[in-house]
Amino acid sequence: MKEKLFKKADYRQFISKDSHFTKSLTKNNLIAMGIGSIIGTGIFILPGIVAYSTSGPSITLSFVLAAIVCILAAMCFAELSSTFPVAGSTYSYGSIVFGQFPGWIVCWALCLEYVLGVSAVSSGFSAYFVSLFQGFGIELPKALTGPFIPSEGTIINLPSVIVLILIYFLLKRGVQASARMNAVMVFVKLAVIIAFIVIGLFYVKPANYHPYFPMGGLGVVKGAALVFFAYLGFDVIPSSAPEVKDPQKNIPAGIMISLAVCAGLYLIMAAVLTGMVNYKDLNVSDPVVLALRYVGLGKIAFIITIGALAGMFTMMLNTLYGGSRLVYALGRDKMIPEKFGELEKRSNMPMLSLNAITIMAVVLGGFVSLKELTSLVNIGTLLSFTFVSLGVIKLRHRDDVPESGFHVPFYPFFPLLSAFLCILLMTQVSVNSWIAFIGWIIVGTGIYFAYGYRKSDN
């Protein structure tokens, strides 16, 4: 039994099974995908709330510290993805490096991240969509703009459902069509963010930066634990490996460049925001809109709403894409029924996998309140980052794998530091979230022994 649980998958079989995908994604497509996945509600919400409650103006340093943690994990992703350019991202790496059961556990945690993540973002999209209409004096029916809570007068979150269905049909057209739409949306939200930064620079008051450390140095560290989650999303890039031209070079470049761009924008935007408005006034869900109104530019606030909608659209697009490739990889390896690992001939897409993850996202986004569930996304993500970081160390001790196109510098210090910091951030998650996450893992373990353990070839 132990041999089966920790039997390491043959990466050559993965590459062979994934060869049916069309290689059409370039380095620029991957950079746009990374930026599209990372920049979303985080840049429009987190800087204000965290500055008010935890860091003050020193939130800029919190973003720097969080970026360091993410860059360390990203370098580990880059080495593994350039060594094994296969679908499934962390699940496939875990199966190849640690064995079948550890790979399944990481995958089960990632399923939680993808499904809950896209559902939560769709709910945020709905809220911004409603506020956009309110700005023009149009009130959408309350019953159609919230989760199924009849006592509060809400039946279905219709904007959430509609946007997820639109994204589904876009992905159904093929990876090239969705990549073009992603590039357009990324351009829109980057233009909005840069416009705010340029305008805001003229209204910065140095006095708002004093005191810079109102909560002390510990506030910077706690703030980093909170804003860390604004950087999540770059792990979608490795999931596209079978569809990438020259993946050994382009995947590491896509990961590192997109993360660097987002880190720079987060840092500058946080500095401008806390310079325009005193951090004590930023305890709102739309701090960027507040800042514009504060300096008398409320009439152009709707532009920020457009940018936020574009940001959330690309997050959902890329998350559904990455999630469908994850489910495809499970079907490919017979961990779930093989049908999920088949590609539709016309679109060359894993349609059953895309259908499954879209249906789950639509049900959750349209009918369930996700306020208590979204923190589970963080645990699953950090667990996968920890496995990836430790996986680099295991990888370096093997001589039966191909040469990587990227090597993490300062080995083994950087991978160990990355794993330590990820575990440290996991301790910041609430006890209730940990209980729910452990329950999710127990369910996943039951499914593994009931099906995947008996059916899989690996």
Side-chain angles (χ1 to χ4, degrees):
M1 180 177 180
K2 184 179 179 181
E3 288 184 6
K4 175 78 170 178
L5 289 176
F6 296 97
K7 181 184 178 183
K8 296 176 177 61
D10 186 346
Y11 71 91
R12 288 172 290 237
Q13 290 185 11
F14 286 173
I15 292 175
S16 175
K17 292 176 181 178
D18 292 345
S19 61
H20 301 295
F21 283 106
T22 302
K23 292 186 178 294
S24 59
L25 297 177
T26 64
K27 180 174 71 174
N28 290 336
N29 290 144
L30 295 182
I31 293 171
M33 181 185 293
I35 294 173
S37 302
I38 297 169
I39 296 181
T41 52
I43 197 170
F44 298 103
I45 297 174
L46 279 180
I49 295 173
V50 176
Y52 169 82
S53 64
T54 310
S55 304
S58 63
I59 187 175
T60 50
L61 298 182
S62 296
F63 272 111
V64 171
L65 184 57
I68 291 171
V69 177
C70 275
I71 287 171
L72 288 172
M75 286 192 289
C76 297
F77 262 100
E79 178 162 341
L80 285 175
S81 61
S82 64
T83 306
F84 308 117
V86 295
S89 187
T90 314
Y91 156 67
S92 294
Y93 309 149
S95 299
I96 295 169
V97 177
F98 293 103
Q100 186 184 91
F101 183 63
W104 168 264
I105 291 297
V106 175
C107 170
W108 191 244
L110 277 179
C111 286
L112 192 68
E113 173 195 345
Y114 282 122
V115 174
L116 287 183
V118 74
S119 302
V121 174
S122 72
S123 296
F125 182 95
S126 176
Y128 270 86
F129 188 77
V130 170
S131 69
L132 179 65
F133 274 81
Q134 288 174 340
F136 293 102
I138 302 173
E139 285 289 339
L140 298 179
K142 183 180 179 181
L144 303 180
T145 56
F148 184 73
I149 309 177
S151 61
E152 296 182 9
T154 57
I155 303 299
I156 182 175
N157 199 333
L158 196 57
S160 173
V161 171
I162 291 174
V163 73
L164 287 171
I165 292 174
L166 288 175
I167 290 173
Y168 165 78
F169 281 107
L170 180 60
L171 287 170
K172 192 176 179 180
R173 292 181 59 193
V175 68
Q176 250 337 92
S178 58
R180 285 192 292 268
M181 175 60 75
N182 182 65
V184 171
M185 289 294 188
V186 166
F187 175 80
V188 170
K189 68 179 175 182
L190 287 181
V192 169
I193 292 168
I194 292 170
F196 171 77
I197 290 172
V198 172
I199 293 170
L201 285 172
F202 291 98
Y203 296 92
V204 168
K205 297 178 180 178
N208 286 330
Y209 293 128
H210 302 288
Y212 194 68
F213 297 98
M215 289 81 166
L218 186 60
V220 175
V221 178
K222 288 184 176 180
L226 295 173
V227 302
F228 169 81
F229 306 112
Y231 288 102
L232 302 184
F234 65 84
D235 53 318
V236 169
I237 295 177
S239 67
S240 64
E243 296 161 276
V244 177
K245 298 176 181 178
D246 195 5
Q248 281 80 5
K249 292 182 179 179
N250 288 335
I251 291 179
I255 292 173
M256 301 309 296
I257 293 173
S258 61
L259 189 56
V261 169
C262 295
L265 288 173
Y266 281 172
L267 173 62
I268 298 170
M269 191 160 183
V272 171
L273 184 65
T274 52
M276 291 174 68
V277 183
N278 189 283
Y279 75 93
K280 295 178 182 178
D281 298 322
L282 289 175
N283 188 29
V284 292
S285 60
D286 54 352
V288 178
V289 173
L290 171 73
L292 289 173
R293 289 174 178 162
Y294 191 84
V295 297
L297 298 175
K299 291 183 178 180
I300 65 170
F302 79 94
I303 297 177
I304 300 301
T305 302
I306 297 296
L309 289 172
M312 286 181 275
F313 185 91
T314 56
M315 283 182 71
M316 290 184 285
L317 176 68
N318 290 299
T319 304
L320 274 180
Y321 167 84
S324 68
R325 269 42 179 186
L326 179 65
V327 176
Y328 154 82
L330 292 176
R332 175 197 66 192
D333 301 341
K334 300 181 182 179
M335 300 296 285
I336 58 176
E338 281 185 86
K339 287 286 185 182
F340 288 95
E342 296 178 0
L343 302 183
E344 185 187 71
K345 290 184 179 180
R346 186 177 61 83
S347 63
N348 210 35
M349 293 278 289
M351 287 309 304
L352 189 57
S353 298
L354 180 60
N355 292 344
I357 199 163
T358 302
I359 290 171
M360 287 188 287
V362 165
V363 170
L364 287 172
F367 298 97
V368 180
S369 175
L370 298 172
K371 291 179 182 178
E372 300 300 323
L373 297 177
T374 49
S375 61
L376 291 175
V377 175
N378 305 334
I379 305 179
T381 304
L382 287 166
L383 179 65
S384 71
F385 282 13
T386 303
F387 266 86
V388 166
S389 302
L390 297 176
V392 170
I393 296 174
K394 291 271 289 183
L395 179 68
R396 295 284 184 97
H397 288 90
R398 290 179 58 172
D399 55 10
D400 62 334
V401 296
E403 182 67 22
S404 175
F406 178 88
H407 293 282
V408 178
F410 300 105
Y411 172 90
F413 175 69
F414 272 9
L416 286 173
L417 179 61
S418 175
F420 170 76
L421 292 174
C422 288
I423 293 171
L424 183 65
L425 291 179
M426 289 172 75
T427 64
Q428 304 297 312
V429 180
S430 69
V431 174
N432 288 339
S433 294
W434 268 108
I435 292 172
F437 180 72
I438 291 170
W440 174 258
I441 293 299
I442 290 173
V443 171
T445 302
I447 293 174
Y448 168 76
F449 283 106
Y451 191 93
Y453 178 78
R454 295 186 297 108
K455 298 285 187 178
S456 67
D457 293 333
N458 296 328

